[in-house]
Amino acid sequence: MKTVVIVGSQWGDEGKGKITDYLAQDADVVVRSQGGNNAGHTITIDGEKFALRSIPSGIFNPNIQNIMANGMVIDPKQMLEELDGLVARGVKNFKLAISNRAHIVLPYHRDLDGAYESERGNRKIGTTKRGIGPTYADKANRIGIRIADLIDPVLFKEALENTLPVKNMELKMLGLKTYTVDDIYNEYIEYGKRIKKYVCDTSVLLNDEIEAGKKVLFEGAQGVMLCIDHGTYPYVTSSSPTASSVPLNTGIAPRYIDTVLGICKAYNTRVGEGPFPTEIEGDLATYIRERGHEYGTVTKRPRRVGYLDAVALNHARRVSGVNYLSLMLFDVLSGLKTLKICYAYELDGKQINYVPATISELERVKPVYVELPGFDEDITKVTSFDELPENAKAYIRKVEELTKTKVAMFSVGPDRKQTIQLVDLFNASSK
Ligand code: GDP
Ligand code: IMO
Ligand code: MG
């Protein structure tokens, strides 16, 4: 078995894009299985920076089959702009397949996303306003429109005729402008024409690749703490970024998932609203935010910053079956006198080692920390574990101990080259 699922094990933006691109050098297939252009995956190759939104991070390698699977919500307009942007920058030879079963984001989804956020007032989620939630809601409500409809003029018109009366009622209720079938049809049918050549049953394609022994990477989006089921609900996204969701979202057997690599920053960030137990503010937060360039790829919002949270990482390990970790942005921590890792929460005077289900409890928890001495050395040029300063090595060992998970990789800068791999993940034991 040669499949590796890359899972965000915190609140997103852990460096999934960078690691997918790195491991893709030795892979045959890269699959995005959920989310859409709420994701922003930054990849730096020889100093050149790319920010991918809905296109898989294997796109730079002409030998890789990239797949956008059925569990994604795809904004055809944005996706084509993204593709055109890549082509304009010289990314021309690529293999891309798009699932006919993926749902599409239409203009009213974006309008509704914004309106629901305004309606919530100070309880707003802080969404990316890309229409992700309303598109998944339509899917669950069985009034969604899929790629298979978009590429067929008859089906697309019919789908719009069936859906728009309901959506227009909702739009009217919120004081938003309504749409006629033609408003959307005339523009989007053109996108459908362009997308058609990439569209197929990606489950068939992917199963064939796996059964032929190909190396497959599943590129997660968001992070486990943003999972609709296991995250800090309702301050979450509308899909499940866990490894468990991959078989459903791609149309493969659960037994085809071998290794799960949890991507985790050496500290923690969160963008958007909602509880964040290890959050820090003031000079220390500013130091980390500036060194880590912690501003959203999609919305440019400053990211909230916190200490590493092993309670949340253990939650990710349990609900997503993480069996290795990749520790990211390790270089950002250099220069700090003391490093802290949260290993338990205190809730109403009692120590707990799980993530409570309710927001009111999560807002009350107080992190319990272990403290380690920091390191001053610049580690951005380190190429092996042995080259790390002793205190940095000790930090990695402590992360492994507190999460019961081996650190298989670590990263000391944004570039592809600033990656140190300690375990051959395509041939790793899944135990
Ligand atoms: P993703 O959404 O999980 O793919 O992560 P993002 O791309 O949104 O955010 C991660 C940010 O950290 C990007 O700006 C990366 O270029 C950057 N990055 C990744 N790894 C490292 C690292 O080891 N060190 C530093 N300094 N930056 C990194
Ligand atoms: P990547 O793949 C970080 C957050 C939003 C908001 C919540 C819901 O780059 O790690 P949504 O637009 O999905 O309805 O927003 O989820 N969010 C992310 N935060 N990284 C992401 O993706 C995110 N995708 C969504 O900020 O709090
Ligand atoms: Mg991101």
Side-chain angles (χ1 to χ4, degrees), residues 121-142:
N122 60 11
R123 293 179 306 110
K124 74 174 194 298
I125 310 286
T127 74
T128 58
K129 298 196 180 151
R130 297 313 192 262
I132 305 296
T135 308
Y136 277 119
D138 279 4
K139 173 181 177 176
N141 207 18
R142 292 150 299 180

Side-chain angles (χ1 to χ4, degrees), residues 11-14 16 38-41 113 125-130 132-133 220-223 226 235-238 270-273 301:
W11 276 272
D13 300 328
E14 299 91 347
K16 298 174 293 293
N38 48 349
H41 293 180
D113 198 350
I125 310 286
T127 74
T128 58
K129 298 196 180 151
R130 297 313 192 262
I132 305 296
Q222 290 82 53
L226 292 171
Y235 297 96
V236 294
T237 190
S238 299
R270 172 164 205 169
V271 60
E273 309 304 318
R301 291 176 287 181

